[in-house]
């Protein structure tokens, strides 16, 4: 698949700058920051169907809506991704990840909260086989998600953006794993250049 080439007789499309802004504005629901969303991110939204949750988070970053229930945005700490920023956005497919984070399931030892929750359900309902499975599911899944939400700790995928002259420029979407280690971080930086540098060259000075 990676070696496929574009047929020489394939049709091509081109847009003027004004047409591109208009297209982005229409798909991004007339958001006033549409011109600061890269065409690469715009295409990513079209392909993933994540437009609404991503715009909800960008609206919060722009101060157009109250702060969302995801984690606070933060800057990357190390080159090549520094000084770019990342903000989480949440969709239903991120639910299991958040439950795992709440109960520290994927991080080895230290699941004291999960152990306490299981023991509490066992003490209260362990004698009733018709009740305890539902009670356990409610405690781990429903209450676990509510606790993450109320603490504004929901995690998901990333919106990567840059700050320039008092405004945010939204570059692309990424998964956490794309920034793990120097090799992946370098590949992610190339992805950001490909999606954004043509429109926002001032964000990529070198």
């Amino acid at each position: 698949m990676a070696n496929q080439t574009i047929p020489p007789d394939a049709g091509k499309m081109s847009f003027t700058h004004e047409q591109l802004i208009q297209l982005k504005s229409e798909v991004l629901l007339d958001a006033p920051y549409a011109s600061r969303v890269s065409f690469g991110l715009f295409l990513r939204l079209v392909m993933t169907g994540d437009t609404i949750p991503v715009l909800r988070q960008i609206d919060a970053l722009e101060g157009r809506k109250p702060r969302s229930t995801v984690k606070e945005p933060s800057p990357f700490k190390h080159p090549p991704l520094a000084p770019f920023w990342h903000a989480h956005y949440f969709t239903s497919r991120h639910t299991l990840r958040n439950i795992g984070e709440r109960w520290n399931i994927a991080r080895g030892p230290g699941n004291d909260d999960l152990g306490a929750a299981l023991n509490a359900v066992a003490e209260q309902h362990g004698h009733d086989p018709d009740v305890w499975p539902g009670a356990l599911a409610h405690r781990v899944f429903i209450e676990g998600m509510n606790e993450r939400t109320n603490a504004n700790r929901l995690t998901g995928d990333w919106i990567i953006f840059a700050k320039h002259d008092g405004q945010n420029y939204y570059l692309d979407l990424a998964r956490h794993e794309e920034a793990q280690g120097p090799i992946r971080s370098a590949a992610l930086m190339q992805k950001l250049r490909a999606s954004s540098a043509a429109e926002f060259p001032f964000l990529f000075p070198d």
Side-chain angles (χ1 to χ4, degrees):
M1 296 292 290
N3 294 325
Q4 286 184 338
T5 59
I6 299 175
D9 58 346
K12 296 181 179 180
M13 292 189 302
S14 62
F15 298 95
T16 66
H17 180 67
E18 290 73 18
Q19 288 172 329
L20 182 58
I21 291 177
Q22 180 63 30
L23 179 62
K24 288 196 291 187
S25 181
E26 290 178 1
V27 174
L28 301 179
L29 308 178
D30 293 322
Y33 47 78
S35 62
R36 291 184 279 115
V37 174
S38 77
F39 190 63
L41 175 51
F42 163 79
L43 288 178
R44 200 84 60 188
L45 294 179
V46 173
M47 292 186 294
T48 63
D50 285 351
T51 301
I52 298 302
V54 168
L55 292 186
R56 184 184 303 123
Q57 177 60 17
I58 294 179
D59 281 343
L61 293 171
E62 292 284 312
R64 302 181 70 235
K65 290 185 177 179
R67 180 178 180 270
S68 63
T69 54
V70 298
K71 294 180 179 179
E72 288 278 5
S74 58
F76 289 101
K77 297 180 180 179
H78 305 290
L81 297 175
F84 292 157
W85 288 61
H86 61 278
H88 291 82
Y89 73 95
F90 174 80
T91 71
S92 58
R93 70 173 181 274
H94 300 125
T95 298
L96 287 180
R97 179 171 191 155
N98 278 274
I99 291 169
E101 290 285 336
R102 167 60 185 93
W103 301 111
N104 203 25
I105 291 172
R107 300 189 182 185
N111 298 339
D112 293 341
D113 280 356
L114 180 59
L118 296 179
N119 289 334
V121 171
E123 291 176 4
Q124 297 174 24
H125 306 289
H127 61 283
D128 191 340
D130 293 329
V131 173
W132 76 259
L136 179 61
H138 187 274
R139 178 66 188 99
V140 173
F141 289 89
I142 304 302
E143 294 185 14
M145 278 298 294
N146 287 341
E147 289 163 1
R148 292 283 290 183
T149 300
N150 293 336
N152 295 327
R153 294 287 295 167
L154 289 179
T155 188
D157 288 331
W158 285 342
I159 304 165
I160 300 182
F161 65 101
K163 295 176 178 286
H164 180 77
D165 286 347
Q167 290 188 309
N168 294 335
Y169 290 80
Y170 302 96
L171 310 183
D172 213 327
L173 305 181
R175 303 183 309 277
H176 297 71
E177 294 79 9
E178 291 184 77
Q180 289 179 349
I183 295 177
R184 290 186 176 181
S185 293
L188 177 54
M189 186 62 180
Q190 288 301 110
K191 172 182 170 180
L192 298 176
R193 285 184 180 276
S195 64
S196 308
E199 288 179 275
F200 312 131
F202 47 87
L203 300 177
F204 302 87
D206 51 4

